[in-house]
Amino acid sequence: MDAATLTYDTLGFGEFEDFPETSEPVWILGKEFNALTEKDDILSDVTSRLWFTYRKNFPPIGGTGPTSDTGWGCMLRCGQMILGEALVCRHLGRDWRWVRGQPPRGEYIGILNAFLDKKDSYYSLHQIAQMGVGEGKSIGQWYGPNTVAQVLKKLTVFDSWSRLAVHVAMDNTVVMKEIKQLCMPWLDYGGAACAEPPGWMPTHNGCLEGACALAEEETALWKPLVLLIPLRLGLSDINKAYIETLKQCFQLPQSLGVIGGKPNSAHYFIGYVGEELIYLDPHTTQSAVEPCEDSQVPDDTYHCQHPPCRMHICEIDPSVAVGFFCRTEDDFDDWCMRIRKLSHTRGSLPMFELVDCQPSHFACSVDVLNLTPDEAGIQSEVRCGQARCTTDKAPFKGNFPDVRGDRVHDFSDRLERFFDSEDEEFEILSL
């Protein structure tokens, strides 16, 4: 893999295919463009996304570890990109544009500082890799989409400036009650205030300019939500029944894109045109960046300044994580409404369930992480036929039917992922 890695100095526009001349709409993270009349706008939008790639010559991870992530850090970089997009939406807004050479805003510098390759940056490669060590992933080991999502969830706890609520929706199910409680922890289930939101003093990753512009009341009622949904959309290849649903996710205004790619080669997908996915590729090795004496960050290498890469949607690995950002409760309610509409789209299958509360078949009185497969089978027999849940459609009893209608599964199916030692993409991290 190292031999095939590009370096930034060798990149040139001629090495990348130009954007296609097509009348089909181009969708980039919830924005629609016309490729015939808005090509410059498309490229400006893509260039404005944060582009995190392999780096070299950074301080050793853990003091004695590697000084480059070439060949192993692509999924970690994709995790940085999807979270970076969330921070841009949080602090700068989706319509913000990066202009080369233009004096940057303080919030932008604060975001970049959070991802610099050094141990004291919130979301640096060092932090992600070392948090993974605590979860059984050695430094240099490849991550799957779920693993990096779980690690990012843990790291955001320390970011008091952004004050994000990160939810990783497991088992192909988004539970609205869980998210409301996460984003409004000071409210009880009935919606009454049970405590004043805790006071907080925003820090800005070493750059205080612009931090005071964030009004405290902005997050007093709702902590901005980053929703990550790890999914398996097929066995070895993507099930074509999910293709339209996956494409429609890029049309949602809350879209943060998708992290996935090909086996052991991760990409950050930000949109599509026709049957091709548009993505940012982290497989370029660049030198680590050091802030200037005035705390400014040389940022040219953090933006992809050539036409974006594309691949046919059928080539994507079925193991992905889909991301969404909801700044306010209204944004989340709007997302729920749109997802419900998508679930009724003819000719496609929903990729995940949206339910009001945790289905009873999720709950169990035993510690599933400590069960053996045989014990899990016994538990499923005991519970079979006893599950009861109300989804957004109707209540029912008995074996819990999959909303896609293609199979019926019981409690043992829900436990299967815990005992699948060969699928690292769905390794469950301890909380």
Side-chain angles (χ1 to χ4, degrees):
M1 185 179 294
D2 293 357
T5 302
L6 298 172
T7 62
Y8 187 76
D9 293 337
T10 65
L11 294 178
F13 280 85
E15 299 177 22
F16 294 87
E17 183 181 356
D18 198 3
F19 213 78
E21 298 284 344
T22 176
S23 59
E24 294 188 89
V26 178
W27 285 95
I28 305 288
L29 300 176
K31 300 287 186 179
E32 183 180 7
F33 297 93
N34 186 315
L36 298 177
T37 61
E38 299 178 297
K39 182 174 293 187
D40 289 343
D41 294 331
I42 294 172
L43 296 179
S44 173
D45 195 19
V46 172
T47 300
S48 297
R49 304 309 108 213
L50 292 176
W51 183 42
F52 296 114
T53 71
Y54 290 150
R55 295 278 173 172
K56 61 182 179 179
N57 301 326
F58 50 66
I61 298 176
T64 59
T67 59
S68 173
D69 61 316
T70 299
W72 60 271
C74 55
M75 181 57 78
L76 283 68
R77 297 300 186 180
C78 289
Q80 288 182 320
M81 283 190 271
I82 198 169
L83 185 62
E85 177 61 20
L87 294 181
V88 168
C89 292
R90 167 74 176 91
H91 296 291
L92 300 170
R94 172 63 183 88
D95 294 328
W96 172 82
R97 293 293 180 267
W98 177 79
V99 179
R100 187 174 188 177
Q102 180 174 301
R105 290 171 53 177
E107 297 90 340
Y108 169 72
I109 295 299
I111 293 171
L112 282 187
N113 273 316
F115 293 96
L116 293 181
D117 294 307
K118 56 183 183 177
K119 64 180 182 180
D120 56 347
S121 294
Y122 288 142
Y123 309 114
S124 66
L125 186 84
H126 297 60
Q127 292 283 5
I128 298 174
Q130 292 190 291
M131 182 66 77
V133 169
E135 300 297 342
K137 290 285 188 179
S138 60
I139 294 174
Q141 186 175 356
W142 200 83
Y143 285 25
N146 174 61
T147 303
V148 74
Q150 298 284 4
V151 169
L152 291 175
K153 173 183 176 180
K154 296 176 185 297
L155 291 177
T156 55
V157 173
F158 304 100
D159 184 358
S160 58
W161 173 48
S162 300
R163 206 163 176 259
L164 297 174
V166 178
H167 181 73
V168 181
M170 296 304 299
D171 214 15
N172 304 341
T173 303
V174 177
V175 183
M176 291 186 288
K177 178 184 174 182
E178 291 180 350
I179 290 176
K180 296 266 185 171
Q181 290 176 327
L182 176 67
C183 295
M184 300 183 290
W186 41 85
L187 299 182
D188 60 24
Y189 175 62
C194 58
E196 290 297 322
W200 60 285
M201 181 64 66
T203 59
H204 208 205
N205 291 293
C207 181
L208 295 177
E209 179 185 352
C212 60
L214 289 174
E216 182 173 348
E217 58 269 17
E218 182 184 46
T219 56
L221 299 179
W222 174 272
K223 293 177 68 175
L225 170 68
V226 176
L227 175 59
L228 301 173
I229 312 174
L231 299 167
R232 183 110 189 154
L233 304 179
L235 296 177
S236 59
D237 301 300
I238 185 173
N239 186 330
K240 293 183 179 180
Y242 295 121
I243 288 179
E244 287 304 315
T245 311
L246 179 61
K247 290 164 62 175
Q248 289 167 349
C249 284
F250 293 108
Q251 300 180 20
L252 301 178
Q254 298 86 357
S255 175
L256 289 178
V258 176
I259 54 176
K262 299 178 181 179
N264 296 325
S265 181
H267 303 307
Y268 173 42
F269 299 95
I270 58 174
Y272 77 93
V273 53
E275 297 301 312
E276 291 185 316
L277 294 175
I278 302 168
Y279 66 93
L280 297 179
D281 189 347
H283 300 91
T284 295
T285 300
Q286 307 184 77
S287 295
V289 170
E290 288 289 337
C292 302
E293 292 183 359
D294 59 358
S295 297
Q296 297 298 303
V297 179
D299 62 347
D300 277 10
T301 63
Y302 287 107
H303 296 275
C304 183
Q305 299 174 60
H306 57 71
C309 303
R310 305 191 309 279
M311 63 180 281
H312 196 280
I313 195 168
C314 290
E315 297 177 16
I316 190 173
D317 187 270
S319 180
V320 300
V322 183
F324 302 97
F325 176 75
C326 301
R327 175 187 289 274
T328 66
E329 185 179 7
D330 286 343
D331 287 342
F332 177 66
D333 291 339
D334 177 76
W335 179 84
C336 292
M337 177 196 68
R338 292 172 184 270
I339 292 298
R340 284 196 170 107
K341 287 183 178 180
L342 290 181
S343 68
H344 296 97
T345 301
R346 299 187 63 181
S348 61
L349 297 179
M351 299 186 300
F352 53 87
E353 299 178 58
L354 177 65
V355 298
D356 293 319
C357 59
Q358 186 181 71
S360 59
H361 64 279
F362 274 31
C364 59
S365 58
V366 295
D367 183 356
V368 294
L369 288 176
N370 292 323
L371 283 178
T372 66
D374 290 340
E375 290 171 337
I378 295 173
Q379 292 293 334
S380 66
E381 290 178 9
V382 172
R383 295 183 57 89
C384 183
Q386 297 179 357
R388 176 180 176 87
C389 173
T390 300
T391 67
D392 57 326
K393 293 184 178 180
F396 53 87
K397 294 183 179 180
N399 287 342
F400 190 82
D402 190 282
V403 294
R404 294 180 290 274
D406 57 349
R407 68 184 188 274
V408 174
H409 56 276
D410 61 13
F411 181 68
S412 62
D413 295 312
R414 295 290 184 176
L415 290 174
E416 178 182 357
R417 194 171 298 162
F418 289 98
F419 309 113
D420 186 355
S421 61
E422 297 181 0
D423 188 359
E424 287 191 3
E425 288 84 356
F426 282 101
E427 179 181 354
I428 303 300
L429 300 180
S430 59
L431 299 179

